[in-house]
Amino acid sequence: MKLIHKILFLSVICLMTLSCELEDGENLNGPTAESIQDGITRGELEQAITGVLSDMRLRIDTQVDGQSLAGREYYRFQSSDPRWSSDVMTGNLDNNTFYTTTPYSARYTVIKNANLIIEGIGNSEGIFTEAEKSLSEGFLNTIKAHELLMVLNQQYQNGIRVDVSDPNNLGPFLGYDEAIAFISTLLGDAATQLQNGGDEFPFSLPEGFTIAATPADFFQFNKAIHARVEVYRGNYTDAESLLEDSFMDLNGDLSESIYFTFSQSGLDFPNPLFFSVNQTVANARIAHPSFIEDTLTGDSRISKVVRREEVLTQSDLSGIYNVFVYDNIVDNVDIIRNEELILLYAEALHISNPSEAINAINIVRNAAELDDYTGGDSPAELVDEILLQRRYSLFAEGGHRWIDMRRFNRLDQLPNDRPGDNVFVQFPTPAAENR
């Protein structure tokens, strides 16, 4: 049985961080897959959207850990499971274990549930206006595109399935170029659907989507994700245009973002990327020594790591700095923020308008308490600088370093710390896919 066949619609629960209002007589435990497919009420739609956004957080720690280890951002020490220090650092990956299968399954769970909601809206007669249907589909297709990109980032040239709407008749695997082109088209279609709707979604959005709570503002989030896709594709002219329509603000707060929230209340869960300072080898994230060694003098982003009282070692990997990107157990995790958008803008312009690219670079450098960039303005020199700034601005957040070095064919520049270590190009396709 293929892995995606096993994905079930999760019961949706109203978390304390997300507000829900139920219509009279509705199931307090959340709608089922069957009830949604047959048609969805306004109250059920509210619950289902809450569930999809909550599920986007599932296994993000496993995905971020895997990609961050591959990008040599940090080490993941876990005495109960040494595969982080063995398999992932050596590139000897298992196609049927947690670091491969759980992020893959979690992302497709979100995609499957979004498809069910879209089907349910289509089967709901007389409940939603055509404008509301368009808005809902634009919202959900944007979320689907984001999740497909998350899968593709790990699978790369293995390719992914983009058509999983019918569990009994899954679409074929598409190679990287074809899959990312599909994601780009899906985001474009979603943007059109958002523009064809009204001024208000037929559901509410949680705190993390405050700056994207209206269709017009969510449209900007769609454009931000689309810009990331086009930069990955090297379509810089398109990326520049998309960024101009996004929430990017060269004069704004770099931390402005759409983000996930966490809590310790009820049935919610805390931020899985947070570890307290001076964790033992039983469970720790330790900054790769090169992150400290390569830090520019005065760069305030060094605060993303905290020096330990003593060196921590596992399997001949050692470090003395804890990763400390998140301050507490309920800290938010960004999906995308203004700082990344400005660096995407710098990359989009580094060939066509190097002076403006340098201006964008300096915005990020100055925010990190660094002086203006004084290097050359050739494309190669600017790429070096942009990758450096992305390394420190996005450290330990989404596995960006591995993706960046891969797309510029620089994986061989990442350090291997032991004989037999190897930086791999992609995670294997899960065994249960039965390709």
mmCIF file of all heavy atoms in Angstrom, residues 328-372:
data_model
loop_
_atom_site.group_PDB
_atom_site.id
_atom_site.type_symbol
_atom_site.label_atom_id
_atom_site.label_comp_id
_atom_site.label_asym_id
_atom_site.label_seq_id
_atom_site.Cartn_x
_atom_site.Cartn_y
_atom_site.Cartn_z
ATOM 1 N N ASN A 328 12.038 30.411 24.086
ATOM 2 C CA ASN A 328 11.250 29.689 25.077
ATOM 3 C C ASN A 328 10.409 28.614 24.410
ATOM 4 O O ASN A 328 10.350 28.522 23.171
ATOM 5 C CB ASN A 328 10.361 30.653 25.869
ATOM 6 C CG ASN A 328 9.410 31.424 24.975
ATOM 7 O OD1 ASN A 328 8.453 30.872 24.453
ATOM 8 N ND2 ASN A 328 9.685 32.716 24.779
ATOM 9 N N ILE A 329 9.753 27.821 25.209
ATOM 10 C CA ILE A 329 9.084 26.619 24.734
ATOM 11 C C ILE A 329 7.806 26.904 23.946
ATOM 12 O O ILE A 329 7.252 26.011 23.314
ATOM 13 C CB ILE A 329 8.805 25.677 25.926
ATOM 14 C CG1 ILE A 329 8.638 24.231 25.455
ATOM 15 C CG2 ILE A 329 7.587 26.155 26.729
ATOM 16 C CD1 ILE A 329 8.702 23.212 26.562
ATOM 17 N N VAL A 330 7.335 28.145 23.978
ATOM 18 C CA VAL A 330 6.153 28.504 23.190
ATOM 19 C C VAL A 330 6.473 29.618 22.193
ATOM 20 O O VAL A 330 5.584 30.319 21.710
ATOM 21 C CB VAL A 330 4.963 28.900 24.094
ATOM 22 C CG1 VAL A 330 4.475 27.707 24.892
ATOM 23 C CG2 VAL A 330 5.325 30.072 25.016
ATOM 24 N N ASP A 331 7.744 29.775 21.848
ATOM 25 C CA ASP A 331 8.147 30.797 20.885
ATOM 26 C C ASP A 331 7.581 30.469 19.505
ATOM 27 O O ASP A 331 7.389 29.299 19.149
ATOM 28 C CB ASP A 331 9.672 30.865 20.819
ATOM 29 C CG ASP A 331 10.178 32.245 20.454
ATOM 30 O OD1 ASP A 331 9.347 33.131 20.186
ATOM 31 O OD2 ASP A 331 11.402 32.445 20.434
ATOM 32 N N ASN A 332 7.319 31.512 18.721
ATOM 33 C CA ASN A 332 6.768 31.337 17.376
ATOM 34 C C ASN A 332 7.842 30.840 16.408
ATOM 35 O O ASN A 332 9.037 31.082 16.598
ATOM 36 C CB ASN A 332 6.227 32.669 16.855
ATOM 37 C CG ASN A 332 5.176 33.262 17.766
ATOM 38 O OD1 ASN A 332 4.391 32.550 18.376
ATOM 39 N ND2 ASN A 332 5.156 34.582 17.868
ATOM 40 N N VAL A 333 7.400 30.178 15.343
ATOM 41 C CA VAL A 333 8.284 29.726 14.264
ATOM 42 C C VAL A 333 7.805 30.350 12.962
ATOM 43 O O VAL A 333 6.657 30.146 12.549
ATOM 44 C CB VAL A 333 8.288 28.189 14.146
ATOM 45 C CG1 VAL A 333 9.057 27.746 12.900
ATOM 46 C CG2 VAL A 333 8.899 27.555 15.397
ATOM 47 N N ASP A 334 8.675 31.119 12.330
ATOM 48 C CA ASP A 334 8.295 31.806 11.094
ATOM 49 C C ASP A 334 8.092 30.830 9.943
ATOM 50 O O ASP A 334 8.871 29.889 9.767
ATOM 51 C CB ASP A 334 9.371 32.808 10.688
ATOM 52 C CG ASP A 334 9.446 33.999 11.627
ATOM 53 O OD1 ASP A 334 8.409 34.377 12.201
ATOM 54 O OD2 ASP A 334 10.553 34.547 11.801
ATOM 55 N N ILE A 335 7.064 31.084 9.146
ATOM 56 C CA ILE A 335 6.896 30.408 7.860
ATOM 57 C C ILE A 335 7.709 31.169 6.811
ATOM 58 O O ILE A 335 8.457 30.580 6.044
ATOM 59 C CB ILE A 335 5.407 30.346 7.464
ATOM 60 C CG1 ILE A 335 4.612 29.574 8.519
ATOM 61 C CG2 ILE A 335 5.249 29.695 6.087
ATOM 62 C CD1 ILE A 335 3.108 29.618 8.293
ATOM 63 N N ILE A 336 7.566 32.473 6.793
ATOM 64 C CA ILE A 336 8.381 33.339 5.941
ATOM 65 C C ILE A 336 8.298 34.744 6.529
ATOM 66 O O ILE A 336 7.253 35.147 7.051
ATOM 67 C CB ILE A 336 7.901 33.301 4.471
ATOM 68 C CG1 ILE A 336 8.946 33.926 3.542
ATOM 69 C CG2 ILE A 336 6.524 33.921 4.298
ATOM 70 C CD1 ILE A 336 8.694 33.624 2.061
ATOM 71 N N ARG A 337 9.408 35.485 6.481
ATOM 72 C CA ARG A 337 9.411 36.824 7.065
ATOM 73 C C ARG A 337 10.115 37.812 6.146
ATOM 74 O O ARG A 337 10.768 37.448 5.175
ATOM 75 C CB ARG A 337 10.046 36.814 8.447
ATOM 76 C CG ARG A 337 11.533 36.572 8.515
ATOM 77 C CD ARG A 337 12.044 36.831 9.937
ATOM 78 N NE ARG A 337 13.483 36.571 10.048
ATOM 79 C CZ ARG A 337 14.018 35.394 10.312
ATOM 80 N NH1 ARG A 337 13.244 34.337 10.479
ATOM 81 N NH2 ARG A 337 15.325 35.265 10.393
ATOM 82 N N ASN A 338 9.963 39.077 6.504
ATOM 83 C CA ASN A 338 10.464 40.170 5.677
ATOM 84 C C ASN A 338 11.966 40.054 5.424
ATOM 85 O O ASN A 338 12.449 40.369 4.332
ATOM 86 C CB ASN A 338 10.132 41.503 6.353
ATOM 87 C CG ASN A 338 10.371 42.693 5.447
ATOM 88 O OD1 ASN A 338 10.183 42.621 4.238
ATOM 89 N ND2 ASN A 338 10.795 43.802 6.037
ATOM 90 N N GLU A 339 12.724 39.627 6.406
ATOM 91 C CA GLU A 339 14.176 39.508 6.242
ATOM 92 C C GLU A 339 14.534 38.565 5.092
ATOM 93 O O GLU A 339 15.419 38.866 4.278
ATOM 94 C CB GLU A 339 14.805 39.013 7.541
ATOM 95 C CG GLU A 339 16.319 39.010 7.522
ATOM 96 C CD GLU A 339 16.915 38.750 8.900
ATOM 97 O OE1 GLU A 339 16.133 38.477 9.856
ATOM 98 O OE2 GLU A 339 18.142 38.826 9.042
ATOM 99 N N GLU A 340 13.844 37.428 5.024
ATOM 100 C CA GLU A 340 14.104 36.512 3.908
ATOM 101 C C GLU A 340 13.694 37.141 2.592
ATOM 102 O O GLU A 340 14.394 36.999 1.577
ATOM 103 C CB GLU A 340 13.367 35.189 4.095
ATOM 104 C CG GLU A 340 13.631 34.220 2.942
ATOM 105 C CD GLU A 340 12.816 32.933 3.001
ATOM 106 O OE1 GLU A 340 12.160 32.678 4.024
ATOM 107 O OE2 GLU A 340 12.844 32.182 1.996
ATOM 108 N N LEU A 341 12.573 37.844 2.579
ATOM 109 C CA LEU A 341 12.103 38.458 1.336
ATOM 110 C C LEU A 341 13.110 39.479 0.815
ATOM 111 O O LEU A 341 13.346 39.566 -0.399
ATOM 112 C CB LEU A 341 10.743 39.114 1.547
ATOM 113 C CG LEU A 341 9.588 38.181 1.943
ATOM 114 C CD1 LEU A 341 8.287 38.966 2.061
ATOM 115 C CD2 LEU A 341 9.431 37.044 0.946
ATOM 116 N N ILE A 342 13.718 40.238 1.708
ATOM 117 C CA ILE A 342 14.713 41.225 1.276
ATOM 118 C C ILE A 342 15.939 40.531 0.693
ATOM 119 O O ILE A 342 16.519 40.995 -0.306
ATOM 120 C CB ILE A 342 15.078 42.149 2.451
ATOM 121 C CG1 ILE A 342 13.870 43.040 2.792
ATOM 122 C CG2 ILE A 342 16.292 43.010 2.125
ATOM 123 C CD1 ILE A 342 14.036 43.856 4.060
ATOM 124 N N LEU A 343 16.323 39.413 1.258
ATOM 125 C CA LEU A 343 17.456 38.665 0.700
ATOM 126 C C LEU A 343 17.083 37.981 -0.615
ATOM 127 O O LEU A 343 17.923 37.858 -1.513
ATOM 128 C CB LEU A 343 17.964 37.649 1.725
ATOM 129 C CG LEU A 343 18.694 38.274 2.923
ATOM 130 C CD1 LEU A 343 18.957 37.245 3.998
ATOM 131 C CD2 LEU A 343 19.993 38.941 2.476
ATOM 132 N N LEU A 344 15.831 37.548 -0.750
ATOM 133 C CA LEU A 344 15.369 37.036 -2.047
ATOM 134 C C LEU A 344 15.403 38.158 -3.090
ATOM 135 O O LEU A 344 15.756 37.937 -4.255
ATOM 136 C CB LEU A 344 13.953 36.474 -1.926
ATOM 137 C CG LEU A 344 13.775 35.192 -1.107
ATOM 138 C CD1 LEU A 344 12.284 34.861 -0.970
ATOM 139 C CD2 LEU A 344 14.511 34.014 -1.750
ATOM 140 N N TYR A 345 15.044 39.347 -2.664
ATOM 141 C CA TYR A 345 15.077 40.519 -3.546
ATOM 142 C C TYR A 345 16.504 40.807 -3.993
ATOM 143 O O TYR A 345 16.759 41.080 -5.179
ATOM 144 C CB TYR A 345 14.486 41.697 -2.782
ATOM 145 C CG TYR A 345 14.429 43.020 -3.521
ATOM 146 C CD1 TYR A 345 13.559 43.205 -4.598
ATOM 147 C CD2 TYR A 345 15.197 44.103 -3.102
ATOM 148 C CE1 TYR A 345 13.478 44.429 -5.245
ATOM 149 C CE2 TYR A 345 15.122 45.322 -3.748
ATOM 150 C CZ TYR A 345 14.261 45.484 -4.817
ATOM 151 O OH TYR A 345 14.180 46.703 -5.465
ATOM 152 N N ALA A 346 17.442 40.731 -3.062
ATOM 153 C CA ALA A 346 18.850 40.943 -3.420
ATOM 154 C C ALA A 346 19.299 39.921 -4.458
ATOM 155 O O ALA A 346 19.986 40.270 -5.435
ATOM 156 C CB ALA A 346 19.720 40.847 -2.170
ATOM 157 N N GLU A 347 18.899 38.675 -4.267
ATOM 158 C CA GLU A 347 19.289 37.650 -5.240
ATOM 159 C C GLU A 347 18.610 37.887 -6.586
ATOM 160 O O GLU A 347 19.224 37.711 -7.646
ATOM 161 C CB GLU A 347 18.952 36.260 -4.701
ATOM 162 C CG GLU A 347 19.434 35.148 -5.625
ATOM 163 C CD GLU A 347 19.213 33.756 -5.066
ATOM 164 O OE1 GLU A 347 19.077 33.611 -3.833
ATOM 165 O OE2 GLU A 347 19.180 32.803 -5.872
ATOM 166 N N ALA A 348 17.349 38.275 -6.551
ATOM 167 C CA ALA A 348 16.614 38.498 -7.801
ATOM 168 C C ALA A 348 17.255 39.600 -8.639
ATOM 169 O O ALA A 348 17.152 39.599 -9.872
ATOM 170 C CB ALA A 348 15.164 38.845 -7.496
ATOM 171 N N LEU A 349 17.941 40.543 -7.976
ATOM 172 C CA LEU A 349 18.515 41.693 -8.675
ATOM 173 C C LEU A 349 20.026 41.640 -8.821
ATOM 174 O O LEU A 349 20.622 42.570 -9.372
ATOM 175 C CB LEU A 349 18.134 42.983 -7.936
ATOM 176 C CG LEU A 349 16.647 43.333 -7.895
ATOM 177 C CD1 LEU A 349 16.426 44.577 -7.051
ATOM 178 C CD2 LEU A 349 16.100 43.547 -9.292
ATOM 179 N N HIS A 350 20.662 40.572 -8.345
ATOM 180 C CA HIS A 350 22.128 40.596 -8.278
ATOM 181 C C HIS A 350 22.795 40.610 -9.652
ATOM 182 O O HIS A 350 23.957 41.003 -9.765
ATOM 183 C CB HIS A 350 22.649 39.416 -7.439
ATOM 184 C CG HIS A 350 22.737 38.112 -8.162
ATOM 185 N ND1 HIS A 350 21.640 37.295 -8.373
ATOM 186 C CD2 HIS A 350 23.803 37.465 -8.714
ATOM 187 C CE1 HIS A 350 22.027 36.206 -9.019
ATOM 188 N NE2 HIS A 350 23.319 36.286 -9.245
ATOM 189 N N ILE A 351 22.053 40.249 -10.692
ATOM 190 C CA ILE A 351 22.589 40.296 -12.056
ATOM 191 C C ILE A 351 22.105 41.555 -12.779
ATOM 192 O O ILE A 351 22.898 42.294 -13.365
ATOM 193 C CB ILE A 351 22.183 39.041 -12.845
ATOM 194 C CG1 ILE A 351 22.781 37.788 -12.196
ATOM 195 C CG2 ILE A 351 22.639 39.145 -14.307
ATOM 196 C CD1 ILE A 351 22.277 36.490 -12.801
ATOM 197 N N SER A 352 20.811 41.823 -12.695
ATOM 198 C CA SER A 352 20.223 42.913 -13.477
ATOM 199 C C SER A 352 20.427 44.287 -12.857
ATOM 200 O O SER A 352 20.474 45.296 -13.567
ATOM 201 C CB SER A 352 18.716 42.660 -13.655
ATOM 202 O OG SER A 352 18.060 42.667 -12.395
ATOM 203 N N ASN A 353 20.538 44.362 -11.538
ATOM 204 C CA ASN A 353 20.639 45.650 -10.862
ATOM 205 C C ASN A 353 21.489 45.484 -9.597
ATOM 206 O O ASN A 353 20.985 45.537 -8.474
ATOM 207 C CB ASN A 353 19.241 46.166 -10.508
ATOM 208 C CG ASN A 353 19.249 47.611 -10.041
ATOM 209 O OD1 ASN A 353 20.296 48.185 -9.763
ATOM 210 N ND2 ASN A 353 18.067 48.205 -9.940
ATOM 211 N N PRO A 354 22.794 45.289 -9.773
ATOM 212 C CA PRO A 354 23.648 44.997 -8.616
ATOM 213 C C PRO A 354 23.645 46.088 -7.552
ATOM 214 O O PRO A 354 23.780 45.789 -6.371
ATOM 215 C CB PRO A 354 25.034 44.813 -9.235
ATOM 216 C CG PRO A 354 24.961 45.418 -10.595
ATOM 217 C CD PRO A 354 23.562 45.258 -11.038
ATOM 218 N N SER A 355 23.504 47.350 -7.932
ATOM 219 C CA SER A 355 23.514 48.413 -6.920
ATOM 220 C C SER A 355 22.304 48.296 -5.998
ATOM 221 O O SER A 355 22.410 48.513 -4.778
ATOM 222 C CB SER A 355 23.549 49.788 -7.591
ATOM 223 O OG SER A 355 22.395 49.995 -8.390
ATOM 224 N N GLU A 356 21.148 47.954 -6.558
ATOM 225 C CA GLU A 356 19.959 47.777 -5.725
ATOM 226 C C GLU A 356 20.070 46.497 -4.898
ATOM 227 O O GLU A 356 19.592 46.439 -3.755
ATOM 228 C CB GLU A 356 18.697 47.754 -6.592
ATOM 229 C CG GLU A 356 17.396 47.559 -5.828
ATOM 230 C CD GLU A 356 17.073 48.695 -4.850
ATOM 231 O OE1 GLU A 356 17.795 49.714 -4.828
ATOM 232 O OE2 GLU A 356 16.076 48.560 -4.114
ATOM 233 N N ALA A 357 20.697 45.469 -5.464
ATOM 234 C CA ALA A 357 20.940 44.247 -4.699
ATOM 235 C C ALA A 357 21.806 44.553 -3.483
ATOM 236 O O ALA A 357 21.545 44.061 -2.372
ATOM 237 C CB ALA A 357 21.605 43.192 -5.579
ATOM 238 N N ILE A 358 22.836 45.364 -3.673
ATOM 239 C CA ILE A 358 23.721 45.741 -2.562
ATOM 240 C C ILE A 358 22.958 46.563 -1.529
ATOM 241 O O ILE A 358 23.160 46.406 -0.318
ATOM 242 C CB ILE A 358 24.951 46.502 -3.091
ATOM 243 C CG1 ILE A 358 25.835 45.543 -3.900
ATOM 244 C CG2 ILE A 358 25.732 47.135 -1.952
ATOM 245 C CD1 ILE A 358 26.968 46.225 -4.644
ATOM 246 N N ASN A 359 22.054 47.415 -1.981
ATOM 247 C CA ASN A 359 21.217 48.173 -1.049
ATOM 248 C C ASN A 359 20.414 47.228 -0.160
ATOM 249 O O ASN A 359 20.326 47.427 1.063
ATOM 250 C CB ASN A 359 20.277 49.090 -1.821
ATOM 251 C CG ASN A 359 19.323 49.840 -0.906
ATOM 252 O OD1 ASN A 359 19.740 50.548 -0.002
ATOM 253 N ND2 ASN A 359 18.028 49.677 -1.140
ATOM 254 N N ALA A 360 19.845 46.195 -0.769
ATOM 255 C CA ALA A 360 19.076 45.217 0.005
ATOM 256 C C ALA A 360 19.977 44.446 0.964
ATOM 257 O O ALA A 360 19.613 44.195 2.121
ATOM 258 C CB ALA A 360 18.350 44.255 -0.936
ATOM 259 N N ILE A 361 21.142 44.072 0.491
ATOM 260 C CA ILE A 361 22.112 43.374 1.350
ATOM 261 C C ILE A 361 22.458 44.238 2.562
ATOM 262 O O ILE A 361 22.523 43.752 3.698
ATOM 263 C CB ILE A 361 23.388 43.027 0.548
ATOM 264 C CG1 ILE A 361 23.093 41.913 -0.453
ATOM 265 C CG2 ILE A 361 24.525 42.629 1.482
ATOM 266 C CD1 ILE A 361 24.191 41.697 -1.476
ATOM 267 N N ASN A 362 22.671 45.531 2.322
ATOM 268 C CA ASN A 362 23.061 46.424 3.414
ATOM 269 C C ASN A 362 21.952 46.599 4.452
ATOM 270 O O ASN A 362 22.232 46.824 5.636
ATOM 271 C CB ASN A 362 23.496 47.773 2.857
ATOM 272 C CG ASN A 362 24.860 47.705 2.206
ATOM 273 O OD1 ASN A 362 25.678 46.835 2.525
ATOM 274 N ND2 ASN A 362 25.114 48.613 1.267
ATOM 275 N N ILE A 363 20.711 46.507 4.021
ATOM 276 C CA ILE A 363 19.605 46.576 4.983
ATOM 277 C C ILE A 363 19.735 45.448 6.003
ATOM 278 O O ILE A 363 19.594 45.653 7.218
ATOM 279 C CB ILE A 363 18.250 46.494 4.255
ATOM 280 C CG1 ILE A 363 18.000 47.780 3.454
ATOM 281 C CG2 ILE A 363 17.111 46.243 5.236
ATOM 282 C CD1 ILE A 363 16.812 47.709 2.527
ATOM 283 N N VAL A 364 20.034 44.249 5.511
ATOM 284 C CA VAL A 364 20.178 43.091 6.392
ATOM 285 C C VAL A 364 21.458 43.193 7.207
ATOM 286 O O VAL A 364 21.477 42.916 8.420
ATOM 287 C CB VAL A 364 20.132 41.793 5.572
ATOM 288 C CG1 VAL A 364 20.433 40.575 6.443
ATOM 289 C CG2 VAL A 364 18.765 41.636 4.900
ATOM 290 N N ARG A 365 22.556 43.588 6.564
ATOM 291 C CA ARG A 365 23.825 43.730 7.284
ATOM 292 C C ARG A 365 23.705 44.768 8.409
ATOM 293 O O ARG A 365 24.140 44.521 9.543
ATOM 294 C CB ARG A 365 24.941 44.140 6.312
ATOM 295 C CG ARG A 365 25.422 43.033 5.389
ATOM 296 C CD ARG A 365 26.516 43.567 4.456
ATOM 297 N NE ARG A 365 27.680 44.009 5.212
ATOM 298 C CZ ARG A 365 28.774 43.277 5.409
ATOM 299 N NH1 ARG A 365 28.863 42.062 4.904
ATOM 300 N NH2 ARG A 365 29.798 43.765 6.108
ATOM 301 N N ASN A 366 23.138 45.903 8.107
ATOM 302 C CA ASN A 366 23.031 46.955 9.113
ATOM 303 C C ASN A 366 22.144 46.533 10.283
ATOM 304 O O ASN A 366 22.427 46.885 11.442
ATOM 305 C CB ASN A 366 22.485 48.238 8.494
ATOM 306 C CG ASN A 366 23.399 48.858 7.448
ATOM 307 O OD1 ASN A 366 22.975 49.704 6.670
ATOM 308 N ND2 ASN A 366 24.665 48.432 7.386
ATOM 309 N N ALA A 367 21.086 45.789 9.979
ATOM 310 C CA ALA A 367 20.222 45.287 11.050
ATOM 311 C C ALA A 367 20.979 44.336 11.965
ATOM 312 O O ALA A 367 20.651 44.207 13.155
ATOM 313 C CB ALA A 367 19.004 44.593 10.458
ATOM 314 N N ALA A 368 22.001 43.663 11.404
ATOM 315 C CA ALA A 368 22.839 42.752 12.184
ATOM 316 C C ALA A 368 24.053 43.471 12.782
ATOM 317 O O ALA A 368 24.985 42.824 13.263
ATOM 318 C CB ALA A 368 23.302 41.590 11.307
ATOM 319 N N GLU A 369 24.032 44.812 12.739
ATOM 320 C CA GLU A 369 25.086 45.651 13.312
ATOM 321 C C GLU A 369 26.413 45.515 12.565
ATOM 322 O O GLU A 369 27.489 45.670 13.152
ATOM 323 C CB GLU A 369 25.253 45.369 14.812
ATOM 324 C CG GLU A 369 23.975 45.612 15.600
ATOM 325 C CD GLU A 369 24.115 45.315 17.081
ATOM 326 O OE1 GLU A 369 25.261 45.201 17.562
ATOM 327 O OE2 GLU A 369 23.071 45.186 17.752
ATOM 328 N N LEU A 370 26.314 45.235 11.266
ATOM 329 C CA LEU A 370 27.490 45.180 10.399
ATOM 330 C C LEU A 370 27.546 46.427 9.518
ATOM 331 O O LEU A 370 26.509 47.016 9.189
ATOM 332 C CB LEU A 370 27.446 43.938 9.511
ATOM 333 C CG LEU A 370 27.542 42.575 10.211
ATOM 334 C CD1 LEU A 370 27.308 41.458 9.199
ATOM 335 C CD2 LEU A 370 28.891 42.408 10.893
ATOM 336 N N ASP A 371 28.743 46.802 9.119
ATOM 337 C CA ASP A 371 28.908 47.908 8.181
ATOM 338 C C ASP A 371 28.421 47.505 6.799
ATOM 339 O O ASP A 371 28.181 46.320 6.510
ATOM 340 C CB ASP A 371 30.379 48.311 8.102
ATOM 341 C CG ASP A 371 30.889 48.925 9.397
ATOM 342 O OD1 ASP A 371 30.060 49.470 10.157
ATOM 343 O OD2 ASP A 371 32.112 48.841 9.640
ATOM 344 N N ASP A 372 28.306 48.485 5.914
ATOM 345 C CA ASP A 372 27.877 48.212 4.545
ATOM 346 C C ASP A 372 28.849 47.250 3.850
ATOM 347 O O ASP A 372 30.044 47.200 4.166
ATOM 348 C CB ASP A 372 27.807 49.513 3.746
ATOM 349 C CG ASP A 372 26.602 50.356 4.106
ATOM 350 O OD1 ASP A 372 25.755 49.893 4.891
ATOM 351 O OD2 ASP A 372 26.517 51.501 3.599
#
